[in-house]
Amino acid sequence: MKVGLVTDILGYMPLEEMLDTCADLGFEALELGCGNWSKAPHVDLDGLLESAVKREKFLDAIKSRGLEIAALNCSGNQLEPTEEGEAHKAVVEKTFQLAGLLGVETVVMMSGCPSGGPNDVTPNWITHPILPPHFKTLEWQWNEVAFPYWEKAVKVAKERGVKKIAIENLGCNLVHNPETLFKLRNGVGDMVGMNFDPSHLFWMGGDPIAAVRALGSAIYHVHAKDVR
């Protein structure tokens, strides 16, 4: 296991200063935000896609300090049914492409959360279904939105050279615990695994240790942060 840093926390630093800081602190790997919920402070997504020279210079800056890229991150809500969701989809696809060009095997992202129906524009996270309409909504979210999107996303990621898609167990997303991760994974294949973040389970009242045991080899990446 290598200890890395999600570099958005040093987003106020330019790239070179951030890399020096990570090296000085003893980190071995980096997770770089590429857009969507991240402001992508250290990644010029379009510029790197367009220029092999820029990619080479970018990688040299990282490798020369004894660092490597553990993952690219494009977390957002690509299942959101408005222009914002479409924009997030575009960043996801560009991130897959950049990962392949940089030789990065893992992309961290969210499953997304659809609206409650075809005529709704607000994401609807149902965690405690009781009545038949609740189950009907969940079936629509999974079968009409999530599975079709993810089937295509996995195909695109494979074509780009991505090996693993690590989905974070964040609230307000269809995938937020082991059960829902396996629901998606069983539907679209084992390219999809968990970016395990115990902090979100604490906030949702879950048991991180039980979750780790349930997930096993389906854990592809880990986030760690202090939680009180």
Side-chain angles (χ1 to χ4, degrees), residues 7 18-19 41 57 59 93 107 124 136 156 158 173 203:
T7 65
M18 179 274 290
L19 294 174
K57 183 179 179 181
L59 286 174
E93 292 189 12
V107 171
N124 193 339
K136 186 176 180 180
V156 171
K158 286 180 179 177
N173 280 269
W203 294 327

Side-chain angles (χ1 to χ4, degrees), residues 113-134:
C113 185
S115 62
N119 299 316
D120 192 3
V121 295
T122 303
N124 193 339
W125 187 42
I126 298 176
T127 60
H128 187 51
I130 299 175
L131 302 175
H134 307 157

Side-chain angles (χ1 to χ4, degrees), residues 14 27 36 60 71 91 95 101 117 137 141 174 199 201 220 226 228:
F27 289 109
N36 290 338
D60 285 346
V91 171
T95 302
L101 292 170
T137 295
Q141 288 180 317
L174 283 182
S199 72
L201 290 175
Y220 288 173
D226 291 336
R228 295 196 179 187

Side-chain angles (χ1 to χ4, degrees), residues 168-180:
E168 189 165 337
N169 53 288
L170 182 71
C172 294
N173 280 269
L174 283 182
V175 173
H176 55 274
N177 61 9
E179 178 185 358
T180 48

Side-chain angles (χ1 to χ4, degrees), residues 44-55 97-98 101:
D44 175 7
L45 186 56
D46 290 329
L48 289 171
L49 287 174
E50 293 167 2
S51 172
V53 174
K54 287 184 179 180
R55 292 195 298 273
Q97 184 180 357
L98 182 60
L101 292 170

Side-chain angles (χ1 to χ4, degrees), residues 13-67:
M13 293 182 180
L15 176 66
E16 300 281 344
E17 183 182 357
M18 179 274 290
L19 294 174
D20 287 337
T21 301
C22 288
D24 291 344
L25 290 172
F27 289 109
E28 300 168 279
L30 308 173
E31 181 180 329
L32 298 159
C34 293
N36 290 338
W37 292 341
S38 168
K39 295 180 180 179
H42 305 117
V43 174
D44 175 7
L45 186 56
D46 290 329
L48 289 171
L49 287 174
E50 293 167 2
S51 172
V53 174
K54 287 184 179 180
R55 292 195 298 273
E56 184 177 359
K57 183 179 179 181
F58 184 72
L59 286 174
D60 285 346
I62 293 169
K63 292 178 180 178
S64 66
R65 292 166 171 85
L67 298 165

